Amino acid sequence: MPAIRPPSRIHSRLAFWIAGGMLLSLALAPTFAHTSETAGLRGLRLVDPFIGTSGTPAGGPIDMYPGASLPFGMIQWSPDTPSEPAGGGYNYTDRVVTGFGLTHLSGPGCSVFGDIDILPEVGPTPKPWDAVQPFSHASEHAHPGSYAVTLGNPSIRVQLTVTKRTGLGLFSFPHNRRGRMIFKVSSDQAGVTQARFNVVGTREVTGQATSGGFCGEPDRFTVYFVARFNRPFNHSGTWTPRVTHPGARTVSGAGSGGWVSFPARPHNAVKMKVAISYVSVRGALANLRAEARTWNLSRVRRAAQKDWSRLLGRIVVRGGTKAERVTFYTALYHTLLQPTLFNDVTGDYPGFDGRIHHLAKGQVQYANFSGWDIYRTEIPLLALIVPNRVSAMAESLVRDARQGGFLPKWPLANGYTGVMGGDSADPILAGAYAFGARRFKTREALQEMIHGATIPAARPGQGWYVERPGLASYLKRGYVSHALTTSVAPVPNGASETLEYALDDFSIAEFARQLGDRNAYRTFFRRSMNWSHLLDRSLGEIAPRNRAGAFLVTPITVNGQSGFQEGNAAQYTW
């Protein structure tokens, strides 16, 4: 991991080959703080949010979402469909929408988010919890920061756009027909353990939903919301599991939800502002007041497009075909979706110790780091083009460790999940620093990195989380024994875990060297050679070893080779 100059001093031009053998020239904007307006607008037009919203040719899910969001925004207002129960929530091959959820993650691979599905309809549905609306892709339009589609028969036109923490929707019902808005507050893809829905006056509803259990782990979080309308509704109702309660104004419990109905009008549009918070309904109201200041959908949409254009213009691309440029800018767009904003406009956010913390003015807390997936390439890229934001992301991880006891891996909201192998916070922090994101508490970060790499957890984080499973074996033998199994691993993965820890140790070593800590550098540089303990010279490949030290020849299955997480020896050795 070479040390490089901060981005403010770098003037770079890169070139690389992509599919079809076409050469693309990439110019990183001078100082990476300025945007090419022309490139930003061109990139904005080339992004296709539908890429990644259906299965691969082999049938696997990709789990992207096409809905409205801002770069690293808290809210992702996007359609949910029945056959996509993972974080993206949407499958392009589906033909009905179950609602428009307020939270989504791109490509997580496990059921998560899709909180607070909101579905418009004409006339009452006997079972609102099962309500769906048909749609056609011919009426569907997705762009960075906005989404639109026509639902149902008779048709309802839906237009959505967002700010960082709020959304603005326009729902155009048929002339002279009653419109109804259904709030499926128990819609989180992973299941909801507690929910609440309240009608406030004649223009507002609030609520909350508690979920978690990401990839089967014991994490928990609560999403709070408030929705406000530009015209009064005149009827409401709620439901508990499989029982409706017409006229009711409040309900709680898992599986519950509610609705409001609007009187028929010749010009029958309803506008809705919505905000979320991970702190409280009061926090959602504060976000609504601060960011949802207009009912003008075009104005909010233009502001969202400007935000996207500013970041997409950080990289100027020349050459290649239009299809290749679409692929490039859509991939860049996807890298800018998460980690996501986690604190309210007040500075409040829930910490890993279960308490509400308050940030100083100008500080930002981020959540939802898919660590194992992003440390190799995405974090270095983001550190080059948005160094201040990546510095805030690094500081967020340090706060998580301070509150919870250990650096997290795949943290979701304010909970540990422990998903995937390795100790990915180490290369995230070291990589961020190496590529120019340096405005975080680096000394504290190094202390937390060393703590997690040297202390087998006698007091696990949040009562169960261990930063480095198999650490005792790694420290004693110089490798993790074959029998280790970790989260979401279909096979034992001691070999790949050893390689991850060696890379993590090298990250700590280089980070320590940059900070002038020679002792830590020497210690962890030596440890970074532990990968060599698994090099079976008779095979010329990395191989798992048992506790007695014997190399093992392990079978390869469709889920990978035993000893290696989501891969095999040939893939991991290089």
Side-chain angles (χ1 to χ4, degrees), residues 96-262:
V96 297
V97 169
T98 60
F100 298 92
L102 303 179
T103 63
H104 294 85
L105 288 182
S106 61
C110 287
S111 297
V112 62
F113 283 7
D115 292 288
I116 323 298
D117 261 350
I118 303 169
L119 185 69
E121 68 170 4
V122 176
T125 299
K127 299 178 180 179
W129 52 86
D130 286 335
V132 298
Q133 288 281 13
F135 75 102
S136 166
H137 294 306
S139 71
E140 195 177 24
H141 301 280
H143 304 282
S146 66
Y147 174 87
V149 69
T150 299
L151 303 178
N153 185 18
S155 65
I156 305 167
R157 186 63 178 169
V158 177
Q159 300 177 67
L160 309 176
T161 189
V162 293
T163 69
K164 293 177 182 178
R165 301 171 177 88
T166 76
L168 177 60
L170 173 61
F171 303 86
S172 300
F173 294 100
H175 297 322
N176 297 313
R177 298 289 298 272
R178 291 179 60 83
R180 188 159 86 153
M181 301 295 294
I182 300 173
F183 289 83
K184 300 179 179 180
V185 293
S186 300
S187 61
D188 190 288
Q189 303 283 6
V192 169
T193 57
Q194 185 56 258
R196 187 172 181 84
F197 174 80
N198 300 293
V199 176
V200 182
T202 60
R203 291 177 182 259
E204 185 174 294
V205 299
T206 66
Q208 65 190 73
T210 299
S211 187
F214 182 61
C215 294
E217 302 300 341
D219 63 291
R220 286 288 178 268
F221 62 90
T222 299
V223 178
Y224 303 86
F225 81 96
V226 57
R228 186 172 293 165
F229 300 94
N230 70 326
R231 51 180 277 205
F233 45 81
N234 60 356
H235 292 288
S236 66
T238 67
W239 71 81
T240 49
R242 312 203 70 80
V243 180
T244 58
H245 307 282
R249 296 175 63 86
T250 185
V251 69
S252 62
S256 62
W259 71 85
V260 294
S261 299
F262 298 86

Side-chain angles (χ1 to χ4, degrees), residues 238-322:
T238 67
W239 71 81
T240 49
R242 312 203 70 80
V243 180
T244 58
H245 307 282
R249 296 175 63 86
T250 185
V251 69
S252 62
S256 62
W259 71 85
V260 294
S261 299
F262 298 86
R265 287 185 177 180
H267 301 287
N268 210 11
V270 174
K271 291 182 179 180
M272 180 176 67
K273 297 175 179 178
V274 64
I276 64 171
S277 166
Y278 290 89
V279 176
S280 63
V281 169
R282 181 178 295 180
L285 284 165
N287 294 338
L288 193 77
R289 285 192 295 267
E291 295 187 8
R293 298 180 176 179
T294 179
W295 292 102
N296 188 318
L297 194 83
S298 296
R299 184 184 303 172
V300 178
R301 185 167 51 219
R302 285 194 301 269
Q305 291 172 347
K306 185 176 180 180
D307 280 354
W308 276 111
S309 177
R310 186 183 302 116
L311 291 195
L312 292 169
R314 297 278 171 99
I315 300 180
V316 181
V317 179
R318 298 183 181 91
T321 66
K322 181 180 179 180

Side-chain angles (χ1 to χ4, degrees), residues 337-413:
L337 289 173
Q338 62 195 58
T340 56
L341 182 64
F342 196 54
N343 64 282
D344 293 337
V345 294
T346 60
D348 291 344
Y349 71 97
F352 272 59
D353 54 5
R355 301 174 180 175
I356 302 302
H357 294 262
H358 183 77
L359 297 170
K361 185 176 181 180
Q363 293 183 319
V364 179
Q365 181 72 15
Y366 287 98
N368 308 319
F369 292 78
S370 57
W372 194 73
D373 308 295
I374 65 174
Y375 77 76
R376 298 168 180 85
T377 55
E378 181 177 328
I379 289 298
L381 171 65
L382 294 180
L384 284 173
I385 62 177
V386 285
N388 288 342
R389 299 201 195 202
V390 175
S391 292
M393 293 172 189
E395 186 65 23
S396 298
L397 291 173
V398 174
R399 292 191 197 103
D400 295 343
R402 185 188 310 150
Q403 297 156 8
F406 293 94
L407 285 166
K409 53 185 172 184
W410 236 121
L412 184 72

